Amino acid sequence: MLLWVSLLILAPVSGQSATAHKPVISLHPPWTTVFQGERVNLTCNGFHHSPQRTKWKRWYSGKEIVRDTPGDTLEVHESGEYRCQTRGSTLSNPVHLVFSTEPFILQAPYSVFEGDTLVLRCQRRGKKKLTAVKYVWNRKILSISNESQDLLIPQASSNNNGYYQCIGVEDKNYVFRSNPRMIKIQELFPHPKLKATVSQPTEGNSVNLSCETQLPPERSDTPLYFTFFRDDGVVLSDWSKSPELQIATIWRENSGFYWCGAETVSRSVHKRSLPLQIQVQRIPVSGVLMETQPPGDQVVEGEVLVLVCSVAEGTGDTTFSWHREDTKESLGRKTQRSQRAELEISVIRENHAGGYYCTADNSYGPVQSGVMNITVRGTPGNRDGVIAAGATGGLGTILAIALLFSCWHRRKSGDGFRGNETRSPPTAGPEESSHSICPVQVALQPLYGNVHLEEGDLVYSEVQTIQLREEGEASTSRTLLKDKHASVVYSEVKTQLTDNSAGKVISEDEDTMESYENVLLVHQSPKPSAVLKAPGVTN
């Protein structure tokens, strides 16, 4: 799953707070041990501009000596512990200076931080040169040189802490040994600490992460870069100057352990936080409801029906499923990160009527909606004895569908129906029997001749249906058809029945009812202009 995050570009957390106005002393030259009679310049740093006056304090043999100087620099030539202070600031950290009377000394800088290059220098008083120099660390020889030169340890770390000593060789194998000097590499910044605005957030909410660490006053201007990552090294952000990360939307699959890292521009110092566990909480689904579009529990046959399943509460990926109550069968299933889903039934039929319900599940088990009973209303269509068929087309084009009604009549001795009203049958062909001329096929002809259809006219037609009943009486029903968009031609199909001398109508099947049916032929025309009536039908 995707995890949406954004970076907040803010000032690094490595900035100072309580020590923001604490000055720092720098030395020139940088050594804390020099020969007696030499001079060292001390500068009180940590301000945007040079202060008007600086207060200096020197501690030596239990005595405090205070001096005020214009500006921020003081030249010293005496051993002791020095601090500085200006108006509105606290006292700086102490700097211990030694003006040595020894003939051979080991010089080291005032402070060395992680990632710095540690520079050590062996010095012989006077103008004589050393022919060989050995640097010893914790009684182990680090370097041997035939000439007097500095020892460089790049990217110093806490592994370089320990006692250092110089051994120098003059002409005639005269050996000098300096006093051992304890050197401790200072931490540039502690391991960062990852913090979150909330450790158990709810799905769908945002979470802010911060990677907190702090630089010492001496290195408060050192730029740091930060990154954030999750289980198995899933990187959440590239290296950035911002110690803040905003997770805009968090989901349960984003639960796990989170870390952050901080490093210098040169990457000489890189540190990682302890893991922080974030457990995302999911809200179970509740208030499952099923609705329809269009709304209501009655739909018209042939229309589109949309079943809408929604939940009042619930987060994360939710699986929606739709079912019929009678069969329990699943009509469809959708899984999405939403509180609402739709299922479309493209064409609704009468057999779709019944009870429907839906379920929603976001891993806590399915929750069912109430049952909704849906009824399907048929569209207006067939009338007694009339069947309509439609065709579409352009002007001047007639597309017709003829529906053929046929009957089969079989003679049965002694049985029959008598009708008071009969119609003249069509003439049988020479190959046809007068006793069995059904089914009779009547061909319907396209509309020609005196009938001319134009766009926009209205057609009114009357259809008469005659149906014989068992009592031998004919019933007549009239249906008025009214359509603004169709021209209608009626042709009549009649069934020839065998008539004996007594005028009886004979049928072999006493369960068969003979009927006179009118066939309706529909021609789609934008502008019908004729009023047509079926042959033999009177007003």
Side-chain angles (χ1 to χ4, degrees):
M1 304 300 295
L2 291 178
L3 180 62
W4 293 95
V5 298
S6 61
L7 291 176
L8 302 178
I9 306 300
L10 303 173
V13 182
S14 54
Q16 308 304 305
S17 54
T19 59
H21 300 289
K22 188 174 185 178
V24 176
I25 297 177
S26 61
L27 294 71
H28 182 75
W31 320 115
T32 56
T33 302
V34 296
F35 290 115
Q36 185 74 42
E38 295 181 341
R39 296 290 187 267
V40 176
N41 289 328
L42 303 180
T43 302
C44 194
N45 300 306
F47 311 98
H48 296 294
H49 53 82
S50 179
Q52 293 181 350
R53 298 194 66 83
T54 304
K55 179 183 289 186
W56 296 89
K57 292 184 178 183
R58 173 177 173 255
W59 300 78
Y60 185 75
S61 299
K63 295 181 180 180
E64 181 182 68
I65 301 172
V66 179
R67 292 178 58 184
D68 285 346
T69 63
D72 56 3
T73 301
L74 175 66
E75 183 182 86
V76 297
H77 54 84
E78 295 176 303
S79 297
E81 186 179 274
Y82 291 84
R83 295 185 181 215
C84 72
Q85 184 180 19
T86 63
R87 177 180 293 183
S89 76
T90 61
L91 280 171
S92 67
N93 291 332
V95 174
H96 188 74
L97 289 179
V98 175
F99 290 85
S100 177
T101 59
E102 297 293 328
F104 190 66
I105 60 175
L106 171 62
Q107 293 181 313
Y110 158 59
S111 62
V112 180
F113 289 92
E114 295 173 306
D116 291 349
T117 297
L118 173 61
V119 180
L120 300 177
R121 177 176 292 177
C122 288
Q123 283 285 71
R124 168 80 166 88
R125 183 188 288 272
K127 296 181 180 180
K128 290 186 178 182
K129 299 289 185 178
L130 298 175
T131 58
V133 176
K134 294 180 181 179
Y135 288 93
V136 180
W137 171 68
N138 293 337
R139 299 182 179 181
K140 297 178 181 179
I141 297 177
L142 291 179
S143 173
I144 299 177
S145 175
N146 294 329
E147 297 180 3
S148 178
Q149 60 181 10
D150 298 342
L151 173 66
L152 305 180
I153 301 178
Q155 297 186 2
S157 67
S158 58
N159 295 330
N160 302 121
N161 292 340
Y163 286 93
Y164 289 81
Q165 187 178 27
C166 269
I167 300 175
V169 179
E170 254 184 4
D171 292 338
K172 300 179 182 179
N173 295 326
Y174 194 83
V175 177
F176 298 92
R177 291 180 182 271
S178 70
N179 292 328
R181 170 80 183 273
M182 176 63 184
I183 296 178
K184 184 177 181 180
I185 308 300
Q186 298 185 60
E187 188 176 52
L188 182 60
F189 58 87
H191 285 271
K193 184 176 182 180
L194 180 62
K195 292 185 177 180
T197 51
V198 57
S199 60
Q200 292 186 340
T202 302
E203 271 191 317
N205 291 334
S206 64
V207 176
N208 292 336
L209 303 178
S210 59
C211 193
E212 299 184 359
T213 188
Q214 188 162 332
L215 290 166
E218 295 89 337
R219 298 298 178 85
S220 60
D221 58 347
T222 301
L224 294 180
Y225 286 81
F226 301 88
T227 187
F228 297 84
F229 47 96
R230 201 180 68 233
D231 300 327
D232 301 326
V234 178
V235 178
L236 304 179
S237 72
D238 294 330
W239 288 98
S240 166
K241 290 183 179 180
S242 173
E244 301 283 336
L245 175 71
Q246 183 184 59
I247 303 175
T249 308
I250 196 166
W251 305 103
R252 193 169 73 169
E253 54 265 31
N254 303 135
S255 299
F257 289 94
Y258 287 71
W259 286 267
C260 73
E263 69 178 17
T264 57
V265 176
S266 63
R267 298 188 176 180
S268 59
V269 182
H270 176 95
K271 295 185 179 181
R272 172 172 157 170
S273 70
L274 293 174
L276 172 67
Q277 186 175 18
I278 296 180
Q279 190 65 42
V280 184
Q281 306 298 310
R282 173 166 290 178
I283 299 177
V285 296
S286 61
V288 182
L289 176 66
M290 198 185 77
E291 300 171 290
T292 62
Q293 289 182 354
D297 56 0
Q298 187 178 83
V299 294
V300 177
E301 184 180 18
E303 291 186 349
V304 176
L305 177 64
V306 178
L307 303 179
V308 181
C309 191
S310 62
V311 299
E313 286 188 329
T315 58
D317 289 340
T318 303
T319 299
F320 297 90
S321 183
W322 292 263
H323 305 266
R324 289 196 61 157
E325 183 186 25
D326 52 355
T327 63
K328 309 298 182 183
E329 65 174 329
S330 177
L331 305 177
R333 179 186 298 265
K334 289 184 179 180
T335 300
Q336 56 192 53
R337 188 163 287 169
S338 171
Q339 292 186 324
R340 184 178 184 274
E342 298 180 355
L343 178 69
E344 180 181 292
I345 301 176
S346 58
V347 179
I348 197 72
R349 300 297 184 192
E350 287 188 0
N351 59 358
H352 289 152
Y356 290 82
Y357 66 91
C358 69
T359 64
D361 182 11
N362 65 347
S363 77
Y364 288 99
V367 178
Q368 180 178 323
S369 71
V371 177
M372 185 175 188
N373 289 312
I374 297 176
T375 59
V376 180
R377 178 165 53 88
T379 56
N382 297 340
R383 298 290 188 267
D384 288 344
V386 179
I387 299 178
T392 62
L395 288 175
T397 302
I398 298 177
L399 299 178
I401 300 176
L403 302 181
L404 175 64
F405 289 87
S406 60
C407 65
W408 285 262
H409 301 278
R410 298 178 182 178
R411 298 181 57 190
K412 184 176 182 181
S413 176
D415 297 331
F417 294 100
R418 178 181 299 274
N420 294 330
E421 180 180 350
T422 62
R423 296 178 179 267
S424 300
T427 305
E431 301 297 327
E432 294 175 326
S433 170
S434 61
H435 298 281
S436 178
I437 62 173
C438 289
V440 176
Q441 179 174 346
V442 179
L444 303 183
Q445 301 300 322
L447 189 62
Y448 296 111
N450 296 328
V451 179
H452 178 66
L453 303 181
E454 292 184 357
E455 189 173 358
D457 289 343
L458 187 65
V459 173
Y460 294 84
S461 295
E462 187 177 46
V463 179
Q464 180 177 6
T465 301
I466 300 174
Q467 183 172 0
L468 296 180
R469 299 180 181 174
E470 290 186 0
E471 295 81 4
E473 298 180 352
S475 66
T476 302
S477 63
R478 296 189 176 213
T479 303
L480 184 64
L481 301 181
K482 185 176 182 181
D483 190 346
K484 294 182 180 180
H485 303 293
S487 60
V488 185
V489 177
Y490 299 91
S491 292
E492 189 173 75
V493 178
K494 294 186 289 185
T495 302
Q496 175 67 47
L497 303 180
T498 303
D499 194 354
N500 61 9
S501 59
K504 294 183 179 180
V505 179
I506 307 301
S507 172
E508 285 187 18
D509 189 350
E510 62 183 8
D511 295 327
T512 301
M513 292 195 305
E514 301 299 330
S515 63
Y516 294 91
E517 299 288 345
N518 289 299
V519 176
L520 173 62
L521 173 64
V522 180
H523 163 228
Q524 186 69 32
S525 175
K527 191 174 183 182
S529 61
V531 177
L532 305 179
K533 297 179 182 179
V537 179
T538 60
N539 290 332

